[in-house]
Amino acid sequence: MSIQVELPTYSHFINGERSPASTGETFDVFNPATGEAVARVSKGTVEDVNRAVDAAHAAFEKEGWRDMPPAERAKILFQIADAIALHKTELIYLESLTSGGTVRRIAGNDIMMIIDLFQQMAKFVQSYPFSETLPNPLFPGPAHNFVWREPIGVCAAITPWNMPLLIASWKIAPALATGNTVVLKPASHTPVSALRLAEIISAVVPAGVLNVVAGSGAEIGETLVRHPKVDKVAFTGSTEVGRGIMKQAADTIKNITLELGGKSPNILLKDADLKIALPGTLFGVFLHSGQLCESGTRLFVPRSIYDTVLEQLAALTQTLKLGNQLDENIGVGPVISQRQKETVLDYIQSGIDEGARLICGGKEAVVEGLENGYFIEPTIFADVTNDMKIAREEIFGPVLCVIPYDHIDEAIEMANDTIYGLAGGVWTRDVNKAYEVARKIKAGVIWINDWHMLRNDAPFGGYKQSGIGREMGKHSLDAYTQLKHVHTSMVPELGRRVAYGLLMTEAKKSE
Ligand code: NAD
């Protein structure tokens, strides 16, 4: 007897309610550990985008949301944090099931960070300078002057599949904290957790403030970016798609934030404490099977300790547990899709072809009971040169490139010889040397004797082609507000309006 179980179906979330696609069509979402469909999701159309944007626009134009006093808004942000905490088990499960991220990481980091993010935003808005009074200047004359920070309007948030909940939250939290409204387009591999998040948040905010439309990037994403009623685009994804978004947004001169790819350099100095630096290096590159934008994918090692480091890294890698991401004992899960698996394996082949030396991994991994899953062995290449394809392009898989160096200046030159500038790191016992290297690496975040330490109160974003703008921290509130200067004259007599005399001599005489 075979039992057919209907897959759970998730609809778009528009104007405070679940809403099927205008065509009624759906697409399947898969568990990357098994390759099996686990949910069915509404397949967005241009009509669906228009409905979502109209709802967001109406919610923004209606008085009450965008001009809510900060103290009241802070209460709502705390309520959102509570609502997420209440539903965290469901969110962790959906996120892990569809993104392949381990429950260990999502429960131990992401969900806590998301709850903390909304709480931090609640605190930030209470002291954020929504209105600043300027001092009375000698020039151009006596007046009261304010600078107001106002919301931008309808924000399109377009997000990738690697950390769907966290990255969506990095956009939703500051957007709502400053009175904007949002239309979120999650990645097609991972829309389910974002759809549930929107429902959970919408129990606390007015209808239309947060909307989600699922569907293809080329159709739904591009329609949002080009939409005349969308005022801002906050995009996280590949540098290639980011370039296209900049061009698409140009026609309507949209405010954009871009969080893009990386090829982050990790520099080991001779005096580093290897007992912490080597596990830290693996943590920096193999967490989430290397599918994190700020992973430390290029490791620069002094030639004098090169062989020791390679030997210890290979041994440590063998201790990593690969398998079902839903199992709490597993540290490394699958990559997101068959296509991503093939892309990563092609990169590994190109490393071999260009003469890099495999010291561990290098092929797909077969996990017992999960033979159809998309697993790849954590892979380390030695003798990589910085001009090889594996050292230049973002692989987005569990592949570490180890590059030897003789002098630190040489390591820094290679570290910066990349189009990317998202993150960087240095391992040393000498704090002065650490700061010197930190100053010289061209990247938006530098970790000293650590990796992946993002904080909700610190800015995150890229130098060079890793992006434009910053998320997280108070700085992210700046990205969702625009400045308005308001001038009130304190001069009632026409004769004392010196500036008017620039046009009319009569103004002075009439006094
Ligand atoms: P991607 O660029 O393929 O897609 C990202 C999002 O853009 C998806 O929702 C996709 O549907 C949408 N999209 C695709 N084409 C589009 C178009 N023409 N117009 C509008 N939207 C479109 O990225 P991905 O494969 O989902 O994620 C991996 C990439 O994301 C990596 O490059 C990684 O470095 C980057 N990333 C960056 C950060 C960061 O904070 N800098 C964080 C995570 C991931």
Side-chain angles (χ1 to χ4, degrees), residues 158-162 167 170 185-188 215-218 221-222 225 235-239 241-242 245 248 259-262 292-293 394 396 422 460 466 471:
I158 302 178
T159 51
W161 43 259
N162 63 336
I167 293 173
W170 287 344
K185 208 285 302 166
S188 311
S216 98
E222 191 163 338
V225 176
F235 171 78
T236 298
S238 59
T239 294
V241 174
I245 287 194
Q248 294 155 22
E259 295 284 353
L260 308 176
L292 296 173
C293 50
E394 186 183 45
F396 230 53
L422 194 55
F460 177 58
S466 285
E471 291 194 313

Side-chain angles (χ1 to χ4, degrees), residues 204-494:
V204 182
V205 301
V209 164
L210 175 57
N211 310 273
V212 185
V213 180
S216 98
E219 191 179 356
I220 304 307
E222 191 163 338
T223 306
L224 271 172
V225 176
R226 292 190 183 279
H227 204 294
K229 281 193 196 158
V230 169
D231 302 292
K232 177 187 171 83
V233 175
F235 171 78
T236 298
S238 59
T239 294
E240 194 188 339
V241 174
R243 276 190 202 108
I245 287 194
M246 246 181 127
K247 288 181 195 148
Q248 294 155 22
D251 286 343
T252 41
I253 315 286
K254 280 192 177 53
N255 178 314
I256 53 174
T257 311
L258 301 174
E259 295 284 353
L260 308 176
K263 194 77 196 174
S264 301
N266 177 6
I267 302 180
L268 205 63
L269 300 192
K270 238 184 270 175
D271 70 340
D273 178 358
L274 296 187
K275 285 196 297 304
I276 186 85
L278 301 189
T281 292
L282 297 191
F283 172 66
V285 70
F286 291 145
L287 190 67
H288 199 12
S289 292
Q291 301 168 112
L292 296 173
C293 50
E294 26 69 79
S295 296
T297 47
R298 291 180 298 147
L299 175 67
F300 296 93
V301 181
R303 217 175 284 276
S304 57
I305 54 169
Y306 187 61
D307 290 336
T308 314
V309 165
L310 290 178
E311 198 181 306
Q312 291 185 23
L313 280 177
L316 265 175
T317 302
Q318 304 310 321
T319 66
L320 300 177
K321 276 197 179 161
L322 189 85
N324 187 346
Q325 75 274 15
L326 294 166
D327 177 345
E328 280 176 3
N329 297 311
I330 292 300
V332 184
V335 296
I336 187 73
S337 62
Q338 176 65 21
R339 192 165 149 210
Q340 186 67 9
K341 183 170 108 180
E342 285 162 14
T343 303
V344 175
L345 292 174
D346 285 349
Y347 272 113
I348 291 175
Q349 189 56 47
S350 94
I352 296 168
D353 294 345
E354 286 195 85
R357 176 164 54 102
L358 259 183
I359 63 159
C360 66
K363 46 186 200 310
E364 67 180 290
V366 180
V367 176
E368 208 187 318
L370 299 172
E371 286 77 8
N372 294 327
Y374 315 128
F375 294 95
I376 298 177
E377 293 176 347
T379 297
I380 302 182
F381 275 114
D383 304 349
V384 176
T385 56
N386 205 41
D387 56 356
M388 288 179 184
K389 188 172 163 182
I390 51 170
R392 302 207 75 74
E393 296 182 14
E394 186 183 45
I395 299 175
F396 230 53
V399 181
L400 175 66
C401 297
V402 187
I403 304 175
Y405 71 85
D406 292 304
H407 191 275
I408 183 61
D409 291 344
E410 188 197 344
I412 289 168
E413 199 182 316
M414 288 190 282
N416 286 331
D417 179 17
T418 167
I419 61 163
Y420 296 111
L422 194 55
V426 55
W427 300 84
T428 173
R429 290 183 165 98
D430 182 335
V431 74
N432 291 321
K433 273 195 210 149
Y435 289 145
E436 193 186 333
V437 174
R439 262 197 307 274
K440 288 181 176 168
I441 297 177
K442 294 181 179 135
V445 56
I446 305 292
W447 290 295
I448 296 172
N449 296 330
D450 218 337
W451 211 276
H452 287 315
M453 290 299 129
L454 300 177
R455 297 173 52 117
N456 284 326
D457 57 357
F460 177 58
Y463 279 29
K464 301 196 272 183
Q465 293 185 34
S466 285
I468 297 178
R470 293 293 178 269
E471 291 194 313
M472 302 162 77
K474 283 189 183 161
H475 315 83
S476 61
L477 300 181
D478 298 343
Y480 287 89
T481 48
Q482 50 194 340
L483 299 173
K484 182 180 275 177
H485 168 207
V486 181
H487 164 105
T488 318
S489 174
M490 288 164 57
V491 182
E493 308 89 355
L494 183 61

Side-chain angles (χ1 to χ4, degrees), residues 22 45-52:
S22 61
T45 61
V46 171
E47 199 185 320
D48 299 336
V49 173
N50 289 338
R51 276 190 300 129

